[in-house]
Amino acid sequence: MNNRLILKNKVRQLRKEKNLSQEDLAKTVGTTRQTIISIEKGIFNPSVKLAILLCIALDVDFEHLFYFE
């Protein structure tokens, strides 16, 4: 397996499509706006639990929200 795979996400794009602010999404999934910012920028990879909550909140499959590059 390639150890250089980088986890990417479409959180920002899908959040905007749902007309959600970072604060709205953070409240929905039980985290902070700063965490959402860090996830969107690729600075922070969410826990499995938070990733699943984001998928539920954004109404998408995990594979659609997160991908490796």
Side-chain angles (χ1 to χ4, degrees):
M1 185 185 315
N2 184 348
N3 290 332
R4 296 185 187 267
L5 291 175
I6 298 171
L7 184 65
K8 299 283 190 166
N9 70 75
K10 297 178 185 173
V11 173
R12 181 182 175 128
Q13 171 192 340
L14 296 171
R15 174 182 59 76
K16 286 186 171 195
E17 287 176 11
K18 298 277 185 188
N19 294 316
L20 293 171
S21 69
Q22 291 169 331
E23 185 68 31
D24 292 336
L25 182 57
K27 285 180 183 177
T28 300
V29 299
T31 193
T32 65
R33 181 175 162 267
Q34 289 77 16
T35 298
I36 298 300
I37 291 167
S38 294
I39 292 169
E40 289 182 353
K41 289 183 175 183
I43 296 168
F44 174 74
N45 289 329
S47 66
V48 173
K49 179 181 177 181
L50 181 53
I52 291 170
L53 290 172
L54 288 166
C55 291
I56 293 167
L58 296 170
D59 194 29
V60 294
D61 292 331
F62 183 88
E63 297 83 6
H64 185 71
L65 187 57
F66 296 96
Y67 59 97
F68 286 104
E69 194 172 84

